Amino acid sequence: MKRIKRAINNFQRKEVGIKIILVTSASLSILAVFMIIAYIFRESLPAIRTVGFKGLFSFNWKPEPANPPAGSYGMLVPIIGTISATFWAILFGAPLAIGTAVYIDQMAPMAIRSVINRGIEILAGIPSVIIGWFGLTMLVPALRNVTATNGFGIMAAGVVLAVMSLPTITSISVDALRALPPELEEASLAMGATRWQTVSRALLPAARRGVLIAVILGIGRAVGETMAVQMVVGNANQVAWPWELFKPTSTLTSRIISDIGESTGVFRSVVYTEGLVLLIFAMVLILAIRMVSRERKR
Amino acid sequence: MRAKRADRIATVVFWIIGLVSISILLFITGVILWNGLGKAIQPSFIFGRPKGFKAGGGIWPMIVSSFYITGLALFVIMPISILSAIYLAEYAKDGRFTRFVKFCVDSLASMPSIVFGLFGMTVFVILFGWGYSLIAGSLTVALLNLPTVMRSAEESLRSVPVTYREASLSLGASRWKTIRKVVLPSATPGILTGTMLTVGRILGESAALVYTAGLVSRHVPDSLFDSAAPLAGYIWYVQTEAGAPDYRAIVDGSAALLLVMVLVINFGARRIGNYYQKRTLAGEKRV
């Protein structure tokens, strides 16, 4: 009896120990998120304190690397740059991506379907520096020849970002379309609707939440993309609104990667504040996705 | 009739959209390989060392750095992500804690990689005093890729049929033994595919690495605390600095080589997944 009891005790103790290990490793993600937010916030405090919200949200940008407190550090130029580039990325990318998803799900013959599916996966895996280098050596010179500008700017960044968010939006939209009950499509076709009527009036409306989530994730990809954008956006310190397509400008990410290496003091802290703004963008997008998917459950 | 015509037009439009998407991919890979493969296959380029402002430099230290960082990062990611995935898929009940863990994993996955770079620089490079080093870079990309590996491992575990677990438990195996001997082996192909895809992503990562691991390195890193320069970051650095007279050829060659490595790994990932899947299916039939 005693021996059996001890065996059971050992057994339970082992299971409890395992559970503790598992919970600990799952908690590491919580720790990571909080550490990242805490450190980025802590490092941006000096900028928030000395430059102030008014100074940070202005167009004045005159960093003084030698004497940081003497400079002015407005972040509006890169914030607007990020918004402009993302706007065009989604305007170019989303229709193409959703169209490709519909094509894969509905129209493509079996053989082509798997080729395109595989191709989209490969496109997702191409490193961003390579797409940036392609943009710098092919796209920017092409834009330079067509327009009378130097080719850098929102247009180049928008196209590069469209290419990079295409696979994200496509694959999640395909998943959304696949998740629809087959009866929906069958019923529509059986009623005599054409393929296009079925897609536009039955399938896409039914999958709209999934497609919306796909687009939001695409926006996230575009906002956070760094290297490729830095290579084609021009890195100039002038504001470019979405309609100023060929004006070299900066984005938050391009600013960060260009300045982080050689900034000190308040200047360095401003770079972290730019990172903080990116984090806030990311959090807003996550909350938007939560809202969209919660609505679906109801 | 009008509906039919609209349908025909839509069909043509969707065909064009599909072909445009695939030609974007073919065009980019084609241009990169066409411009760079000639340079990329020269032994003096692959196995040479960078020569700063002189022409004819190679990229061997960067190639090795890339693989060191990938290996070290996986060494950190694998145990944590598999254990977390086991917790989420096998043990966790749908409660407040589980939902919070999932929210944090989602948040971590949605943060831009440059933010991880900033974090790694603050904590690993400066606070811990490691400087630009292999270990600082590896830990940074490990954090960056943790959520994706965790999610794919969780999905692989969930796709193992419940009957497997029931059979094992009914034979008297403990919960942990069931997971270790039955569930994990069945989920291995999925986990392996997810891991290979992560290898491809780490090899291509640059934003999180240039200011944690290092920008350029003259020699192969010889310790964890030695500065390293992964190939993707080096491509960015060389085209920014444009120091060497043949910098264009160096970038072209490096880009082509990196692309080939990533493509091989991504194709390999699918192959492994398919191979194992076929094998386990065949095994099931035998039983």
Side-chain angles (χ1 to χ4, degrees), chain A residues 181-205:
Chain A
E183 293 86 7
L184 192 65
E185 185 189 341
E186 286 160 9
S188 169
L189 291 174
M191 299 283 281
T194 62
R195 175 71 49 189
W196 169 237
Q197 284 170 331
T198 305
V199 168
S200 63
R201 310 226 180 124
L203 300 183
L204 280 181

Side-chain angles (χ1 to χ4, degrees), chain B residues 78-247:
Chain B
M78 291 321 289
I80 298 177
S81 61
I82 290 180
L83 288 174
S84 308
I86 291 176
Y87 175 73
L88 289 174
E90 304 289 327
Y91 282 82
K93 295 182 190 77
D94 188 34
R96 212 172 253 181
F97 177 71
T98 312
R99 255 177 284 156
F100 188 57
V101 170
K102 285 188 174 165
F103 177 71
C104 285
V105 175
D106 282 348
S107 311
L108 206 58
S110 74
M111 288 179 181
S113 63
I114 183 79
V115 171
F116 286 84
L118 284 176
F119 174 77
M121 187 176 176
T122 331
V123 173
F124 303 133
V125 175
I126 297 169
L127 187 69
F128 291 180
W130 290 339
Y132 297 150
S133 58
L134 260 185
I135 186 163
S138 307
L139 288 179
T140 308
V141 283
L143 274 181
L144 176 62
N145 285 286
L146 192 63
T148 29
V149 183
M150 198 187 293
R151 271 290 150 99
S152 81
E154 192 194 336
E155 251 165 60
S156 312
L157 289 171
R158 278 189 201 284
S159 68
V160 176
V162 191
T163 46
Y164 285 27
R165 297 185 184 88
E166 285 167 355
S168 167
L169 289 170
S170 68
L171 287 170
S174 69
R175 204 170 181 185
W176 177 243
K177 201 163 189 184
T178 302
I179 291 168
R180 210 161 47 96
K181 299 265 175 177
V182 177
V183 181
L184 261 187
S186 318
T188 306
I191 296 176
L192 223 54
T193 307
T195 311
M196 289 282 275
L197 290 176
T198 306
V199 171
R201 254 197 311 275
I202 298 179
L203 285 179
E205 181 54 50
S206 44
L209 281 173
V210 287
Y211 289 112
T212 51
L215 277 166
V216 60
S217 117
R218 293 294 177 96
H219 60 95
V220 170
D222 49 20
S223 87
L224 279 179
F225 301 96
D226 207 356
S227 80
L231 191 55
Y234 184 68
I235 290 175
W236 178 77
Y237 168 76
V238 172
Q239 66 84 27
T240 313
E241 292 292 289
D246 63 340
Y247 84 94

Side-chain angles (χ1 to χ4, degrees), chain A residues 11 14-15 18-19 21-23 25-30 32-37 39-40 42-43 95-100 102-103 107-109 112 115-116 118-123 125-131 133-134 136-138 163 166 194-197 199 224 226-227 230-231 253 256-258 260-261 268 271-272 275 278-279 282-283 286-287 290, chain B residues 3-4 6-7 10-11 14-15 17-22 24-25 27-29 31-32 35 80 83-84 86-87 91 93 97 99-108 110-116 118-119 121-123 126-127 143 146 150 174-177 200 204 206-207 210-211 232 235-236 239-240 247-248 251-252 255 258-259 262-263 266-267 270 274:
Chain A
F11 183 79
K14 198 180 162 200
E15 287 281 310
I18 285 163
K19 202 162 174 194
I21 294 175
L22 295 179
V23 172
S25 55
S27 312
L28 279 177
S29 306
I30 304 179
V33 169
F34 277 87
M35 291 267 286
I36 290 176
I37 296 174
Y39 271 99
I40 301 290
R42 199 190 78 162
E43 295 293 313
L96 195 61
I98 297 169
T100 307
V102 170
Y103 176 76
M107 319 232 163
I112 297 184
V115 170
I116 295 202
R118 183 62 69 85
I120 296 293
E121 272 169 19
I122 293 174
L123 190 60
I126 296 183
S128 66
V129 273
I130 290 184
I131 295 187
W133 180 239
F134 173 85
L136 185 64
T137 52
M138 300 292 295
V163 169
L166 174 73
T194 62
R195 175 71 49 189
W196 169 237
Q197 284 170 331
V199 168
T226 306
M227 295 320 210
Q230 195 270 348
M231 285 155 95
T253 51
I256 294 174
I257 200 72
S258 313
I260 189 62
R268 204 177 103 88
V271 176
Y272 280 86
L278 277 181
L279 266 184
M283 286 295 150
I286 264 259
L287 290 177
R290 294 238 136 193
Chain B
K4 278 249 166 75
D7 186 51
T11 308
F14 279 108
W15 267 88
I17 288 176
L19 294 180
V20 165
S21 291
I22 203 73
I24 290 174
L25 166 76
F27 188 52
I28 294 177
T29 44
V31 165
I32 295 291
N35 285 342
I80 298 177
L83 288 174
S84 308
I86 291 176
Y87 175 73
Y91 282 82
K93 295 182 190 77
F97 177 71
R99 255 177 284 156
F100 188 57
V101 170
K102 285 188 174 165
F103 177 71
C104 285
V105 175
D106 282 348
S107 311
L108 206 58
S110 74
M111 288 179 181
S113 63
I114 183 79
V115 171
F116 286 84
L118 284 176
F119 174 77
M121 187 176 176
T122 331
V123 173
I126 297 169
L127 187 69
L143 274 181
L146 192 63
M150 198 187 293
S174 69
R175 204 170 181 185
W176 177 243
K177 201 163 189 184
S206 44
V210 287
Y211 289 112
I235 290 175
W236 178 77
Q239 66 84 27
T240 313
Y247 84 94
R248 245 192 120 107
V251 177
D252 277 336
L258 181 64
L259 186 60
V262 171
L263 290 183
N266 284 1
F267 271 110
R270 302 286 165 208
N274 290 346

